Amino acid sequence: MKRNWKAWFKAAAVRAAKTVAQTAVASIGIAVTIGDVDWIYTASASALAGILSLLTSVKGLPEVTEETA
């Protein structure tokens, strides 16, 4: 099985960035006002979500097929 690592990394990075953004929006959205946002929690939860997304992508990405490689 040959994998195109450049295509895989690009797809995984896009997926992780979307996951980070979604987590940040969800974390900010639970605060009543912008002053109540726990920015350290938001940043750490978003970073963890991005790392977990990359680790999940190791299994495989439907965007990157054998034909792409």
Side-chain angles (χ1 to χ4, degrees), residues 6-43:
K6 187 175 180 179
W8 177 88
F9 186 76
K10 183 177 179 182
V14 167
R15 190 176 275 224
K18 288 179 182 180
T19 302
V20 167
Q22 291 168 344
T23 304
V25 167
S27 297
I28 293 168
I30 62 172
V32 175
T33 65
I34 197 72
D36 292 336
V37 175
D38 185 348
W39 292 107
I40 294 173
Y41 167 79
T42 299

